[in-house]
Amino acid sequence: MFEFDQYLGFLAFLTILTIGFWLMIFLITFVIPYWIGGALIERMKEIREEKKAKRQALN
């Protein structure tokens, strides 16, 4: 059915496909939400500091 070279190519393809699948799952479930959450927290801190600076400038 398969020659040895074809078998190795097929195994390499399956390995790359599996690694890509689990990498996408990891990125979607952990990395991207962590990145977005951190960006939102940093933006909220900046907004708070801007409001604080405006209040101090008025006083």
Side-chain angles (χ1 to χ4, degrees), residues 8-20:
L8 285 180
F10 181 68
L11 284 180
F13 170 74
L14 284 182
T15 302
I16 293 168
L17 184 72
T18 305
I19 290 170

Side-chain angles (χ1 to χ4, degrees), residues 2-55:
F2 280 127
E3 292 182 20
F4 189 68
D5 292 341
Q6 290 175 326
Y7 180 69
L8 285 180
F10 181 68
L11 284 180
F13 170 74
L14 284 182
T15 302
I16 293 168
L17 184 72
T18 305
I19 290 170
F21 171 76
W22 288 114
L23 179 64
M24 281 300 264
I25 295 297
F26 174 71
L27 289 174
I28 290 171
T29 57
F30 294 109
V31 175
I32 293 175
Y34 181 78
W35 181 30
I36 292 172
L40 289 175
I41 290 170
E42 289 296 317
R43 184 63 184 137
M44 289 176 67
K45 286 181 184 177
E46 289 175 6
I47 290 172
R48 225 176 287 138
E49 288 175 4
E50 288 173 5
K51 287 181 181 179
K52 192 178 201 181
K54 284 183 184 177
R55 267 188 266 131

